[in-house]
Amino acid sequence: MRITDLMIQETMIMDLQATTKDEAIDELIASLNRSGRINDPVLFKEMIYKREAESSTGIGGGIAMPHAKTTAVNEPTVVFAKSRKGLDFEALDDQPAHVFFMIAAPEGAGNTHLRTLAALSRLLIDSDFISQLMSTDTPAEVSALFDAKQAEAAEKEVAKEKAKAEKAANAASGSTSNQQQNTSGVIVGNANSEDFVVAVTACPTGIAHTFMAEDALKKKAQEMGINIRVETNGSEGAQNVLTADEIARAKGVIVAADKNVEMARFDGKPVLQRPVSDGIRKSEELIRKAVNGDAPIYHSQGGNAKEDGANTGKISVGSKIYKDLMNGISHMLPFVVGGGILLAISFLIEQLAGEDNPLFQLLQTIGGGTGAFHFLIPVLAGFIAMSIGDRPALMPGMVGGLMAVNSNAGFLGGLAAGFLAGYVVIGLRKLFKGLPKAIDGLKPILLYPVFGLLIVGAISFYVFDPIFGSLNTWLVDALGNLGTGNAVLLGLLLGGMMSIDMGGPFNKAAYTFAIGVFTSSGNTDGAWMAAVMAGGMVPPLAIALATTFFKSKFTEQERKSGLTNYVLGFSFITEGAIPFAAADPLRVLTSCILGSAVAGGLTQLWSINVPAPHGGIFVAALANHALLFLLAVAIGSVISGLILGLWKKSPTLVK
């Protein structure tokens, strides 16, 4: 396929009017939208900025390549644009960008399209070619230039294959060739050189930077007379995969990647871990360091390259915390969804067949407190810890999370335990760094597990448990004393508390208070149960409403998860909102607390009674004022949903 089959002339912009990065992105997206190549400009823009947040696509040398792979794309397309004055695209070399390629790839882009995009990316390493593009005046000239360049590249490829065959024939007859060929999967450099390095390139979308870094490393290695083998992790998966023999022979390893790649195979080798952009702009520096062994030794079981001071590129504290948090949330989410849906079904069965029904008991066991929901906080804490401290931090993190569950510390305690475990393991690495090499193998199998668990467990036991346990007891006592006061005020308080930590000590204190009154006084005091149930239903319903009516404020994955919260909210499963609250606690918790408080207060204003300890909408019919109960929940949910939707920052604003 020709590159110009994707770079259609009707979308080209030969005189970009934008003066800022945001304006440039808007102008390029508008061209895609006018031509019908995308179906959802808002979603596409969201995904463009999501990629920009990971690292700027202003690669330097006057080039910017904003790109996204999403369902918002109808047909694979590349928008070419030129800016004669240039503009600040936050490029890696701090120079203005003049040439733009906005790549729009559909979620299911075929291999042919992906290979064509890779070919485009490789062409852009040629500075002479970029200069020729800048001198074009019409879309037809741009197309002709790309067609000629691609034809030239194809001819060179044929020549290389021919030379490769001749080399094989010469090798069979005992002769040698001085220069190895620069074809995919073939070692590049000087055949007589003993300097050999291997590299892996990868970017999150795998349609541009991956192949530009590959080509830059190959060209620079050839100039330096150094042999190199490059594996790419693009949209088609890993290509030209490094062999065990090549890794063993290499003097050093370069991992130029913005996403996870298989690292265990590099155990014991000097490994440079850098952003994929460094593979493009700093290829000579990386190759020289790899050849000289100027890189930390990677240990696949005892931690990672950071242990020995690897330079993994700059990342802000906020971005690091967010990345670690998202690692925990993404692993926790299946437990929330799977367990929550099964619990919702169990409540329905309970209403139809009673609590003695075997299917009800089965679903309660699988999805509830002894099943999936029992693992929410431990999984969250464990994978936060693992993101920070690698595999040695997983176990102490999970145990700390479990202790938070058992001590009523809730998901806030789990968050604290997860971050604690991760940094405890990092501290242990530094502490044990000076140990004799002979006992290095004991670190991952003995020292990290024992000391990590001891420290995290002790802090959880002596700090988290007493603090949150005391807080829980105080809240229950305080609520008991307020019981004779203003009913609406207490309803506001109980409803709001259900959203403060969504299953933690505040939530449990409010629910325990309502259960205590309910079980000791009978159905006449189901008023407090109405307040906590309404307050607990609001957070997931508010999340669902916000993700439905404020789509541009949420990522595609968040919108999909938001739909599940309709079911969880109707079922009085507050935990469905935890992933959103953990990702953006200030906005989500504040919004939900306000709506939950309103819902709880309304149940008392309207003297609503719910004679059931759980069930949500499935037990609403049992309330003395069923419609008013549902109205209270709806009002609270709409209030929270509106506040969150209006307050939350759009992903397009994250730079």
Side-chain angles (χ1 to χ4, degrees), residues 77-432:
T77 310
V78 178
V79 180
F80 170 79
K82 289 197 313 175
S83 172
R84 299 189 185 282
K85 294 182 179 179
L87 58 90
D88 181 7
F89 207 85
E90 301 175 1
L92 302 175
D93 59 0
D94 296 322
Q95 297 300 309
H98 292 272
V99 181
F100 303 82
F101 299 88
M102 176 169 277
I103 300 175
E107 197 66 51
N111 290 343
T112 300
H113 293 133
L114 296 174
R115 283 193 290 270
T116 304
L117 292 173
L120 165 66
S121 302
R122 293 184 175 106
L123 289 180
L124 302 184
I125 295 297
D126 189 338
S127 58
D128 291 337
F129 180 60
I130 298 301
S131 297
Q132 292 173 352
L133 281 176
M134 282 300 299
S135 65
T136 57
D137 295 315
T138 66
E141 291 179 10
V142 174
S143 296
L145 188 58
F146 269 99
D147 284 340
K149 190 68 175 178
Q150 193 169 11
E152 178 185 337
E155 291 176 1
K156 288 182 178 180
E157 193 67 26
V158 171
K160 289 173 183 177
E161 289 298 328
K162 182 178 179 181
K164 181 181 176 182
E166 292 176 352
K167 178 187 173 184
N170 290 336
S173 62
S175 63
T176 61
S177 173
N178 187 55
Q179 188 69 31
Q180 296 189 35
Q181 304 302 316
N182 185 8
T183 58
S184 295
V186 178
I187 296 173
V188 177
N190 191 313
N192 295 327
S193 172
E194 296 181 358
D195 293 331
F196 176 52
V197 298
V198 294
V200 180
T201 63
C203 70
T205 52
I207 57 177
H209 289 56
T210 300
F211 306 103
M212 297 182 76
E214 174 203 19
D215 217 44
L217 288 167
K218 283 182 176 180
K219 286 186 175 181
K220 186 56 65 175
Q222 193 167 18
E223 292 175 10
M224 298 169 68
I226 293 171
N227 292 337
I228 192 170
R229 207 32 187 91
V230 184
E231 172 186 313
T232 57
N233 277 247
S235 291
E236 295 184 78
Q239 301 290 324
N240 311 319
V241 177
L242 302 173
T243 67
D245 177 65
E246 288 168 341
I247 295 172
R249 289 191 294 112
K251 288 190 171 182
V253 179
I254 300 168
V255 178
D258 289 337
K259 69 175 185 179
N260 291 334
V261 298
E262 175 55 47
M263 295 293 295
R265 52 188 167 158
F266 303 132
D267 185 40
K269 301 293 295 187
V271 177
L272 282 170
Q273 294 188 72
R274 297 289 187 88
V276 68
S277 57
D278 281 6
I280 301 172
R281 310 314 313 176
K282 300 179 180 180
S283 52
E284 181 174 359
E285 174 191 332
L286 297 184
I287 293 171
R288 198 169 301 284
K289 283 180 175 290
V291 168
N292 295 333
D294 184 13
I297 303 299
Y298 181 81
H299 300 293
S300 66
Q301 294 182 350
N304 55 31
K306 295 178 185 178
E307 178 178 347
D308 294 318
N311 181 0
T312 57
K314 294 182 179 179
I315 181 171
S316 68
V317 174
S319 297
K320 180 67 172 68
I321 292 174
Y322 182 79
K323 171 181 172 290
D324 299 332
L325 190 60
M326 288 303 101
N327 192 58
I329 290 173
S330 64
H331 285 87
M332 178 184 71
L333 195 58
F335 293 84
V336 175
V337 175
I341 296 297
L342 292 183
L343 280 179
I345 296 173
S346 75
F347 295 140
L348 179 60
I349 294 173
E350 182 186 24
Q351 295 305 306
L352 297 175
E355 63 180 16
D356 293 330
N357 184 276
L359 184 55
F360 164 74
Q361 296 175 354
L362 174 65
L363 295 179
Q364 279 280 314
T365 301
I366 295 174
T370 59
F373 267 38
H374 190 65
F375 291 95
L376 294 187
I377 307 306
V379 168
L380 172 70
F383 283 93
I384 287 175
M386 186 175 180
S387 178
I388 299 169
D390 209 0
R391 281 185 291 178
L394 176 63
M395 183 272 293
M398 292 192 72
V399 174
L402 183 61
M403 293 178 69
V405 173
N406 294 335
S407 65
N408 285 336
F411 94 92
L412 292 176
L415 288 176
F419 282 100
L420 171 67
Y423 288 108
V424 162
V425 169
I426 288 179
L428 291 175
R429 286 200 185 104
K430 294 180 179 179
L431 179 64
F432 297 141

Side-chain angles (χ1 to χ4, degrees), residues 553-615:
K553 299 295 185 74
F554 298 89
T555 66
E556 184 177 8
Q557 180 59 44
E558 286 174 332
R559 290 198 294 272
K560 292 178 181 178
S561 300
L563 293 175
T564 305
N565 275 270
Y566 280 114
V567 178
L568 300 179
F570 288 139
S571 307
F572 183 29
I573 299 174
T574 315
E575 287 87 346
I578 288 179
F580 293 84
D584 190 2
L586 176 62
R587 295 179 181 83
V588 173
L589 291 179
T590 303
S591 303
C592 290
I593 289 169
L594 292 173
S596 293
V598 170
L602 288 175
T603 63
Q604 304 312 296
L605 179 65
W606 295 333
S607 302
I608 300 172
N609 244 300
V610 178
H614 213 300

